Amino acid sequence: MRQRRTHLRTAVTAAVALGIGLSAAPAQARTPARPPVPGIENCTATACHFDLPPGTYDVRVTLGGDLASSTAIGGETRRALLPETAAPAGGRIVRGFTVNVRTPEGEPLGAQGTPGLDLTVGGTAPALAGIRVTPARHTRQILLVGDSTVCDQPGDPYSGWGQRLPQYLREGLSVANYSDSGESTVSYLGNPLLWDAVRPLIRRGDLVLIQLAHNDKTTDGPAYRANLEALVAGVRERGGEPVLVTPVVRRWFNTDGTLDNDTALLVNGLGVDHPAVIRSVAADRDVPLIDLTARTKELVESLGVEGSKALYLYNEKRDNTHTSVHGATVYADLVREELLNLRLVPKGSVRVE
């Protein structure tokens, strides 16, 4: 009996020394807990904030309530992400979109913005019933390279058409707007915080829309053409698809109610016809062309001197170059139409309701 107790003490001592558990059943492996999916607990009645790192995120919202509602979603630097959407009393409607979160969150040379993803809940009768935010897995980007008529403008009443474009796109297609106020082809290519920073972000199959002309006031014809060709080549080297966009017109009427003058149609002081050069490069380099000059000229002339004021900031600032929220929205819709007409995006990825 004494010999058995001696053997038992020896076995226990050895087990403790080796760190071996004496329980009869082995410990069950634990599965690491997944982080919770950000949801409605991050929202108030008018806004949501999600502590997320820079990246691209799919957002799925459930809209509606006991009463009839109409809800629009915006976010980050005054971007339109979901157009106003109606839901009947007691009904629920689910919509999705994909949003680009970056630092700086607006213009590349602008303010840093707020870390994370910020959304605003608006509309005539807003009702957000649920929301789910997840990292985007299979997303195609539309990157924008442009000036103040395109960029994410930080302050009201200004707005760029690129700021209003996301609301027309469905989940799986994101807008990354790297347009910056005051930039020309010369300054965009020359600033390491602009083209040198944007180009590495281009992935195979991404669209890169390029609209630079308004600020090339002292760029001669050969230099302007060479700069456009350099941007096109840089996109293609990364596997992206460049799209050249002629500039939106300035609201500068002739006495006969037309816009056939150098100021309106972006012909600079050296006689360089920017839209004509863009069209020529697009044809020579086999690049898709969105002729926004032609589309906006037609629209502005059709509205006339008085009717076209609402598209620009004439009433607020006597500004005939920069667009209002309304004007930027209308011009973004023209871009949406051209993306479809040129078959640059599938119909199913564009919101038409």
Side-chain angles (χ1 to χ4, degrees):
M1 188 67 175
R2 185 180 299 170
Q3 188 175 10
R4 286 184 59 194
R5 285 197 294 269
T6 300
H7 288 324
L8 180 59
R9 283 198 300 271
T10 302
V12 171
T13 302
V16 172
L18 293 172
I20 300 172
L22 296 175
S23 57
Q28 192 170 12
R30 292 183 179 179
T31 302
R34 292 185 178 181
V37 175
I40 196 71
E41 69 277 2
N42 294 277
C43 301
T44 65
T46 59
C48 303
H49 174 76
F50 303 94
D51 290 321
L52 297 169
T56 306
Y57 295 90
D58 290 332
V59 180
R60 188 68 59 88
V61 294
T62 303
L63 308 176
D66 294 338
L67 303 176
S69 63
S70 186
T71 310
I73 306 292
E76 296 297 90
T77 305
R78 301 177 61 240
R79 299 180 216 162
L81 299 173
L82 186 73
E84 191 152 346
T85 303
R92 295 291 187 272
I93 291 178
V94 177
R95 293 289 185 269
F97 56 87
T98 300
V99 60
N100 171 259
V101 177
R102 61 183 184 271
T103 303
E105 74 177 36
E107 298 177 83
L109 303 186
Q112 294 293 296
T114 306
L117 171 60
D118 287 285
L119 302 176
T120 57
V121 183
T124 54
L128 178 66
I131 187 168
R132 184 174 184 267
V133 180
T134 56
R137 301 299 182 191
H138 305 288
T139 301
R140 188 185 187 194
Q141 297 183 111
I142 299 178
L143 294 102
L144 304 181
V145 171
D147 53 35
S148 58
T149 64
V150 187
C151 74
D152 287 350
Q153 288 280 2
D156 190 63
Y158 293 88
S159 186
W161 62 255
Q163 198 167 21
R164 309 297 295 176
L165 183 62
Q167 67 185 313
Y168 294 116
L169 307 177
R170 296 184 187 276
E171 187 176 330
L173 188 59
S174 72
V175 174
N177 191 353
Y178 287 93
S179 303
D180 195 76
S181 294
E183 305 303 337
S184 64
T185 58
V186 176
S187 63
Y188 205 97
L189 283 166
N191 191 326
L193 296 177
L194 294 172
W195 184 235
D196 287 349
V198 173
R199 189 172 169 274
L201 304 176
I202 301 170
R203 304 175 308 205
R204 184 164 299 279
D206 285 344
L207 293 176
V208 183
L209 275 57
I210 302 165
Q211 187 215 279
L212 288 168
H214 278 275
N215 301 300
D216 279 280
K217 298 174 183 178
T218 60
T219 311
D220 63 36
Y224 185 63
R225 173 179 286 271
N227 291 341
L228 291 174
E229 291 174 343
L231 290 164
V232 167
V235 174
R236 285 176 167 166
E237 286 167 4
R238 293 287 302 171
E241 183 171 2
V243 181
L244 289 174
V245 183
T246 59
V248 299
V249 294
R250 293 191 177 101
R251 185 189 162 276
W252 201 268
F253 283 93
N254 298 326
T255 55
D256 64 358
T258 66
L259 299 179
D260 294 318
N261 59 76
D262 290 354
T263 300
L265 299 183
L266 284 297
V267 179
N268 73 10
L270 301 178
V272 179
D273 186 332
H274 293 107
V277 176
I278 295 169
R279 295 176 189 121
S280 176
V281 172
D284 292 346
R285 300 294 176 179
D286 193 26
V287 179
L289 173 73
I290 294 178
D291 198 339
L292 207 50
T293 304
R295 293 295 307 270
T296 55
K297 177 179 183 292
E298 179 184 19
L299 176 61
V300 171
E301 287 181 342
S302 72
L303 292 172
V305 174
E306 290 301 317
S308 62
K309 287 179 179 178
L311 296 173
Y312 292 83
L313 295 176
Y314 179 84
N315 293 324
E316 299 86 351
K317 304 284 185 178
R318 293 297 187 268
D319 185 335
N320 291 305
T321 297
H322 297 97
T323 47
S324 62
V325 171
H326 167 66
T329 304
V330 172
Y331 288 176
D333 192 35
L334 295 179
V335 174
R336 176 194 65 83
E337 288 181 5
E338 291 303 308
L339 290 172
L340 286 173
N341 292 340
L342 294 169
R343 298 183 180 180
L344 294 170
V345 295
K347 289 183 178 180
S349 64
V350 176
R351 206 180 301 281
V352 294
E353 71 267 23

